[in-house]
Structure formats: structure tokens, C-alpha cells
Amino acid sequence: MADVGRDRLHFLDALRGLAALYVVIFHVMYVGVAQANLPFPAYWQAVEFGGTGVFLFFVISGFSLCLTWGRHAKAPWPEANYAISRFFRIAPLFYVVLGGLLAQGLWLFRYVPGLGLLIPNLAFLFNLLPGKQEGIVPASWAIGVEMLFYTAFPALRRLPLGIALGGSLALFGALLTLAGPVEYPNYAYWTVIGWLPLFAIGMCAYGAFARWHARVTLGVPLALTGLLLLIACAVVPHAQTTALLRVPIGLGYAVVLVGLGLRTNRVVVNAATQFLGKISFSVYLLHPLVLRAIIGIFPAIYHSAGVQLGFLVCSALELAIVLPVAFIAYHLVEAPGERLGKHVAAALARGLQSRLETSPGSGAPTRHGVAGGHRPAVAPAAAKSRSRAARRKDR
């Protein structure tokens, strides 16, 4: 892909931020109105569609992993560099939250989860275990899906995009056919197999962006087309839990993503949305904990202010707490974790380079001065000169 400049990629941060915000607002209304035992408002479907913000996360992941692979490819061991980068992007904050929840459970309830639950969470394998796929950390089901895709990506990226997409759709089709109802809360709804098409769509979106990045005039038509597709999906009740709509919704988000990448819209891509994008992982992972802490006062707010105003007040209260907390978590945990990952990757690269330089037969200098500790071969010209000098001396 040609160098399109960092400023052209701010749309990824902006879309991450909007996705996280949409998920938060959805949970505030869904949990709050249900807690207050009130009917949902007429515009509920538009808010409920916020559950598909996770779909957008998955599409962005497929796109951004393709985008950043070139950086990993320059390392001595690209797959290891990639794995370290992904692990330290997710694991530090996840482990901090997990540790906090375990400490809380032990302190308040004298409860410690068994190794059968704890080890899969530590290893990010809980999506593979029916009944445990939602994880210990609230909302971490998506992280379980993401980490499995991260694992598969180095192999998937070697395939032509059409085969990667077609294969993922075939697996999804098999899931729909053989696994029974792919609906919440069945395990078939959560399994990574059902979400692979969204990552593959993101990879294809990167392919389109790489090919069309100079065709700025396509930006607005593509973004509008994707938006219309999303609106068409949003009018379907419970769209976010309707398995057959996953691919159309993912496609809609992908087309919007490519359109914004080709021609940035300042209403969508601006300092505020980029800030949200920067802390979006912390927002996503921490907002259920904040919601759990303040949900007790939501019924009083909804009953006193009504559903319309109550929703706005509760959303403002949730965001007023979660955004500063997420900002702090980003700077105290996420960013240092990413820096640590870069140091680990750099140390691994230096170690591999050192081994290559000191291994026998490598042709590189060693501590003995030459490869394998052997004496260097004499240059042909020098050998001939020495031979002539020896013959003269014999005469």
C-alpha cells in the first residue's frame, strides 16, 4: 500500500471512539429502563442498534491488522513481533480489571473461581468453552473473540482476500445450518466462528482502501451507501442479535469506513472523536463496572424525570464517570503496557540479530572474529602474490 500519511488514518480512531460511545449508550438505556421497569421509548431501536458497535470494532480490527502488518514484517521474526504487539495492547488492562474483580470477589464474598474458569480467562481462550464464553470480566466476550482472531490472522493474511472471506462465510453458513438457533444467549451466538466474517470484511475493506486511496471522489458516495445499508438493517427489530444481519451490518460499517478513509468528514473525524478512539478500549472494558456501581440510582432518575429525560441524565452521569476513569486507565495501564511491549519486541529483535551474527556458518563476524571461529580464507590476489614470492625465494 502506498504511504497515505498518518492524518489520513485518524478516521480509524474516530470510528473506534464512536463505536465505544454507541455501546455505552445502548447499555445505559437497556439496563436502566429495564431496571426501572418502564416501557422502552419509541426511538429504542436506534439506541438498541448501539449493540452493533462491537461489530464495528471487529471490522476495524481486520482493517487495522492488515494496515500495520508491514511494520511487523520488518522485524527479524515478524510473527513474534506481531504477537507481542497484540498481547501487550490487550492484556495489561484486561489483567488489571480481572485482578480487581478477583480481589473483590475474595474480599466481599470469599469466592475464588476454579482453575477451569480462571486459566481460560488468563489465556484468552474462554470463547472456546461453552458456558464460559462471556468471561469473568463483564463485556469481555468480545475480547475472547478478538484474541482468537489475532491468533489466526498471520495465517489468514497469506490467503487471497476472496478465499479468506469466502472461507469465513462458509464456516458461518455451517454454523447457521448445523448449530441450531444462532441467537442470544446460546453458545452458537458467541462462538468466534460466527464473527469471523466481520474480521474478513475488515480485511477486504483494507484491500479496497489500499487500491482506491487516491480516489478521493469515491469517499462521500461510499460513506452514504454504507450509512443507508446500516439504516436499512437498524429498522429490523433486535438487529444486533439477528445472526443473518451480521454480514450486512458488517458490510455497511466497512463501506462507511472506506468512505471516511478516502474523504474525511470533520463532523465524524475530529479532535473529540479521536480522543474517544484513543481511550476506546478502556471505555469499553470499564463502562460495565461503572454502570454496575451507579445502576442503583437509575430507577429513581427514570421515574422522576421520565424515560426521555432520564435516559439523557443517566447517559451523562455514566459518561461523566467512565471517560475520566478511562483516560486515567489509558495513561496508567494501557500506554505503559504498549511501551513495555515495544521494549520486549525490540529486545527479542536484538537477541535474534545477535544469534544470527554469532551462529556458525552465518557469514557474520563472531566473537572469534569470523563466522564459526574459522580462519578467514585468503583472498585470491593475496594468495597468488604469496605463491610468486615463495617461488622467487626457492630460486
Side-chain angles (χ1 to χ4, degrees):
M1 174 181 163
D3 183 11
V4 296
R6 285 293 303 170
D7 58 325
R8 293 288 300 277
L9 303 182
H10 288 162
F11 68 97
L12 292 178
D13 282 335
L15 288 175
R16 285 192 190 99
L18 292 173
L21 185 64
Y22 207 1
V23 171
V24 172
I25 291 173
F26 159 63
H27 283 151
V28 167
M29 174 166 280
Y30 181 76
V31 177
V33 173
Q35 192 83 0
N37 197 26
L38 293 171
F40 288 103
Y43 57 84
W44 159 240
Q45 273 187 238
V47 178
E48 185 187 31
F49 200 69
T52 67
V54 177
F55 296 25
L56 179 53
F57 281 138
F58 292 161
V59 171
I60 293 173
S61 287
F63 185 102
S64 61
L65 292 187
C66 292
L67 175 70
T68 57
W69 181 260
R71 184 182 75 236
H72 302 300
K74 297 175 183 177
W77 189 359
E79 288 78 10
N81 188 275
Y82 160 81
I84 291 169
S85 171
R86 290 294 88 200
F87 179 82
F88 282 93
R89 175 70 185 89
I90 300 296
L93 183 62
F94 178 82
Y95 285 156
V96 167
V97 175
L98 177 62
L101 290 173
L102 293 175
Q104 181 191 50
L106 179 62
W107 178 262
L108 295 179
F109 309 108
R110 299 293 187 268
Y111 169 75
V112 178
L115 293 179
L117 178 59
L118 185 58
I119 291 176
N121 275 264
L122 291 172
F124 297 103
L125 297 176
F126 50 92
N127 180 267
L128 301 176
L129 304 176
K132 301 176 181 178
Q133 70 279 348
E134 293 187 64
I136 295 174
V137 176
S140 65
W141 73 269
I143 296 170
V145 172
E146 285 263 5
M147 292 299 270
L148 291 177
F149 174 71
Y150 291 167
T151 303
F153 175 75
L156 290 175
R157 61 166 293 275
R158 298 178 183 276
L159 301 174
L161 289 175
I163 293 178
L165 179 59
S168 68
L169 289 173
L171 288 173
F172 185 42
L175 179 71
L176 292 171
T177 304
L178 303 175
V182 182
E183 57 187 29
Y184 180 87
N186 297 339
Y187 175 68
Y189 173 84
W190 304 98
T191 176
V192 66
I193 294 173
W195 299 103
L196 279 177
L198 297 185
F199 293 102
I201 287 172
M203 294 170 66
C204 292
Y206 171 78
F209 178 71
R211 177 174 295 183
W212 299 337
H213 71 273
R215 302 180 66 178
V216 177
T217 55
L218 291 177
V220 173
L222 283 173
L224 291 177
T225 301
L227 184 60
L228 289 174
L229 179 56
L230 290 173
I231 292 172
C233 293
V235 300
V236 178
H238 312 300
Q240 85 282 6
T241 56
T242 302
L244 290 176
L245 288 180
R246 284 186 190 175
V247 172
I249 291 171
L251 182 61
Y253 279 130
V255 175
V256 169
L257 185 155
V258 175
L260 282 176
L262 297 177
R263 190 178 186 114
T264 299
N265 184 302
R266 293 299 175 188
V267 174
V268 178
V269 184
N270 51 58
T273 55
Q274 289 174 49
F275 167 76
L276 285 174
K278 190 175 183 180
I279 63 172
S280 59
F281 181 53
S282 289
V283 169
Y284 177 79
L285 204 58
L286 297 174
H287 86 271
L289 304 181
V290 173
L291 190 58
R292 180 187 293 179
I294 64 175
I295 192 66
I297 66 173
F298 279 15
I301 295 174
Y302 275 107
H303 282 293
S304 61
V307 173
Q308 316 288 346
L309 182 58
F311 168 60
L312 296 177
V313 172
C314 291
S315 296
L317 179 61
E318 170 79 5
L319 292 173
I321 299 173
V322 77
L323 292 182
V325 171
F327 178 78
I328 293 170
Y330 173 80
H331 285 283
L332 293 184
V333 182
E334 276 196 77
E338 289 190 64
R339 288 195 295 269
L340 177 60
K342 291 178 181 178
H343 289 314
V344 171
L348 175 64
R350 289 194 298 269
L352 287 173
Q353 190 65 32
S354 176
R355 286 190 64 181
L356 288 173
E357 291 176 350
T358 58
S359 62
S362 68
T366 70
R367 60 187 175 187
H368 299 293
V370 293
H374 300 294
R375 236 181 122 180
V378 180
K384 291 180 180 178
S385 176
R386 290 183 185 181
S387 178
R388 287 195 296 268
R391 286 197 296 271
R392 284 197 300 269
K393 186 176 181 181
D394 291 340
R395 293 191 191 115

